[in-house]
Amino acid sequence: MEIKVPLLDLKAQYRKIQDKIEPAVLEILRNQTCILGEPVKSFEEACAKYCKTSYAIGVTSGTDALILALLAIDIQPGDEVITTPYTFFSTAGSIYRLGARAVFVDIDPVTYNMNVQQIESVITAKTKAIMPVHLFGQCADMDAILTIAKKHHLAVIEDAAQAFAALYRGQFAGTIGEFGCFSFYPSKNLGGVGDGGMVMVKDPQLYDKIFKLRNHGCSHQYFHEMVGGNFRLDAIQAAALKVKLAYLEEWNQARRQNAADYIRLIQEAGLENIVKTPVACPECFHIYNQFVIRVERRDQLKAFLQEKGIGTAVYYPLPLHRQPCFRSWNYKEEEFPESNRASAETLALPIYPELTIEQKTYIVDRIREFYQRKS
Ligand SMILES: *Cc1c(COP(=O)(O)O)cnc(C)c1O
């Protein structure tokens, strides 16, 4: 029997919280408190409290959160920011946008996060920051990154877009470096009903700067200290997200349970040598924003699963050093071999919290069928 399993089922989540989200959104409409105000402020306070940090600033998107962090450290054309090429576009796109250069290091083949061993060798006089990405919901090696950053006086901007409430040695992702940048894009583990993002900071001066930059750099209306932009989080998003924040712990636990079930089912099917499952580091609390396996004949497996009604995704088919729009950075295709290999071999399986054991079993059964038939 065929069971349909989409990669993501946002309606399944919505049905469970509809009776809480709808009155919260209606309240905004009825009060017409549509820009900033109480809805945004109370969501920001709830996030800062949840992540045990000092300040959270609601912004338009995860991409803009990264741009704001770079603006806050006065990134100039020609400056360099060290990051990974195996990530969503925005990580390097935000750097490019400010005229700076993304200096890539390769990834660790097990965690897919930055290979911290390569960072020091690419630091130059122009380096201003390190931008680690907590890919797929697991934190990068922050101890090593902070040590290097301190030694070379670099800012650390965490791209925590995939890692809300992931932990590193008990600290929340996005509260470890100077800046934590989050996305509330609907597919993220904490997703809005549209676009949204957040910057978290600990330093009151950085807070003040980002707070102003978010709203055209003004200290009070029509008096501008600096040139920022319109980076304000929408009040309707804030209201919906505040409702969802109360469920986040439960959802993250469900994601972790799904991951544990997949790993067990894959072992029970005798597939552990064919399907490399994610490895959770002991110092990390992985929240599995994605569940990414590494396999041979990835594209064929993806097509086979699609035929069987199972949605999967490739994060990311073309590493950023090979993107046509970054041509001027002059990276060679064969650079960063682990990023290239991951792009060709990894596949994300459905991991959303509402996934049932029947669905997970069905998926692993179909993977087994594929490798039995065609090997
Ligand atoms: C989603 C994502 C972003 C961008 O977030 P948006 O809200 O879509 O702008 C940035 N970095 C990473 C790693 C992401 O996954």
Side-chain angles (χ1 to χ4, degrees):
M1 193 190 69
E2 186 177 304
I3 305 180
K4 282 251 177 292
V5 199
L7 177 69
L8 196 68
D9 188 354
L10 291 174
K11 285 186 190 161
Q13 184 192 74
Y14 189 68
R15 278 193 296 271
K16 289 193 181 167
I17 54 172
Q18 190 168 359
D19 60 338
K20 300 225 167 51
I21 296 257
E22 289 177 3
V25 169
L26 264 179
E27 196 186 316
I28 306 272
L29 297 181
R30 291 191 174 141
N31 293 339
Q32 286 296 298
T33 48
C34 304
I35 303 292
L36 295 176
E38 201 280 329
V40 172
K41 196 159 184 283
S42 73
F43 174 60
E44 289 171 339
E45 284 168 4
C47 286
K49 192 170 168 217
Y50 191 102
C51 294
K52 301 186 164 66
T53 195
S54 311
Y55 306 102
I57 304 137
V59 302
T60 24
S61 69
T63 306
D64 285 341
L66 293 168
I67 289 175
L68 279 162
L70 292 166
L71 285 172
I73 59 165
D74 293 312
I75 283 283
Q76 298 296 314
D79 285 347
E80 296 178 354
V81 178
I82 300 171
T83 190
T84 157
Y86 186 61
T87 172
F88 180 63
F89 179 77
S90 308
T91 312
S94 62
I95 298 166
Y96 185 95
R97 217 172 216 300
L98 297 181
R101 175 181 173 85
V103 173
F104 295 122
V105 295
D106 207 355
I107 53 165
D108 174 279
V110 174
T111 63
Y112 308 109
N113 278 324
M114 274 175 107
N115 180 341
V116 295
Q117 240 98 58
Q118 298 183 4
I119 296 176
E120 278 202 290
S121 65
V122 298
I123 293 175
T124 71
K126 294 180 191 159
T127 310
K128 293 286 149 52
I130 307 175
M131 190 185 279
V133 179
H134 305 315
L135 204 68
F136 305 146
Q138 173 159 259
C139 287
D141 184 351
M142 293 306 290
D143 276 353
I145 291 166
L146 289 188
T147 304
I148 297 166
K150 203 166 184 183
K151 184 171 155 198
H152 298 272
H153 309 289
L154 306 174
V156 174
I157 301 170
E158 300 175 62
D159 183 340
Q162 301 183 1
F164 201 108
L167 301 173
Y168 179 84
R169 299 196 195 284
Q171 263 185 293
F172 282 85
T175 69
I176 305 163
E178 274 76 23
F179 303 88
C181 302
F182 297 89
S183 166
F184 303 125
Y185 186 79
S187 68
K188 313 283 174 166
N189 69 318
L190 179 60
V193 291
D195 277 307
M198 179 163 274
V199 184
M200 289 191 193
V201 290
K202 290 168 285 189
D203 181 88
Q205 276 164 333
L206 288 180
Y207 169 72
D208 187 61
K209 196 156 180 193
I210 297 216
F211 184 82
K212 286 171 184 162
L213 285 168
R214 170 177 76 174
N215 197 11
H216 298 296
C218 56
S219 43
H220 49 285
Q221 205 179 15
Y222 308 133
F223 290 85
H224 302 266
E225 273 178 47
M226 52 190 111
V227 181
N230 174 356
F231 295 114
R232 302 181 296 257
L233 176 64
D234 188 90
I236 288 177
Q237 297 309 322
L241 284 160
K242 195 177 171 205
V243 171
K244 288 191 175 198
L245 186 64
Y247 296 87
L248 186 66
E249 195 168 332
E250 178 190 326
W251 290 336
N252 282 346
Q253 286 300 349
R255 287 174 179 276
R256 287 168 56 81
Q257 184 60 51
N258 289 339
D261 287 342
Y262 272 131
I263 291 169
R264 179 177 52 78
L265 290 166
I266 285 166
Q267 275 168 358
E268 284 170 6
L271 287 168
E272 66 271 26
N273 294 323
I274 298 172
V275 177
K276 304 247 164 38
T277 52
V279 175
C281 302
E283 66 276 20
C284 292
F285 183 83
H286 197 324
I287 54 87
Y288 294 97
N289 191 62
Q290 288 102 311
F291 184 87
V292 174
I293 57 171
R294 187 197 285 270
V295 291
E296 280 174 22
R297 290 185 288 141
R298 188 266 319 268
D299 294 335
Q300 291 95 311
L301 174 65
K302 185 178 197 320
F304 179 81
L305 294 177
Q306 191 63 54
E307 272 172 38
K308 301 292 175 188
I310 300 164
T312 61
V314 173
Y315 303 110
Y316 296 91
L318 191 65
L320 301 186
H321 68 288
R322 290 160 58 191
Q323 295 289 345
C325 64
F326 297 144
R327 231 175 277 115
S328 62
W329 284 342
N330 284 316
Y331 286 106
K332 294 188 200 69
E333 199 172 316
E334 64 276 16
E335 278 182 271
F336 318 114
E338 290 299 346
S339 300
N340 286 333
R341 201 161 69 82
S343 294
E345 296 178 352
T346 60
L347 189 65
L349 303 180
I351 188 79
Y352 58 88
E354 297 77 14
L355 208 60
T356 65
I357 190 68
E358 289 75 23
Q359 289 174 312
K360 287 173 271 190
T361 307
Y362 175 74
I363 292 170
V364 175
D365 282 347
R366 298 291 76 75
I367 296 175
R368 179 171 53 189
E369 189 184 339
F370 175 81
Y371 286 105
Q372 267 169 1
R373 272 204 201 165
K374 316 212 172 167
S375 58

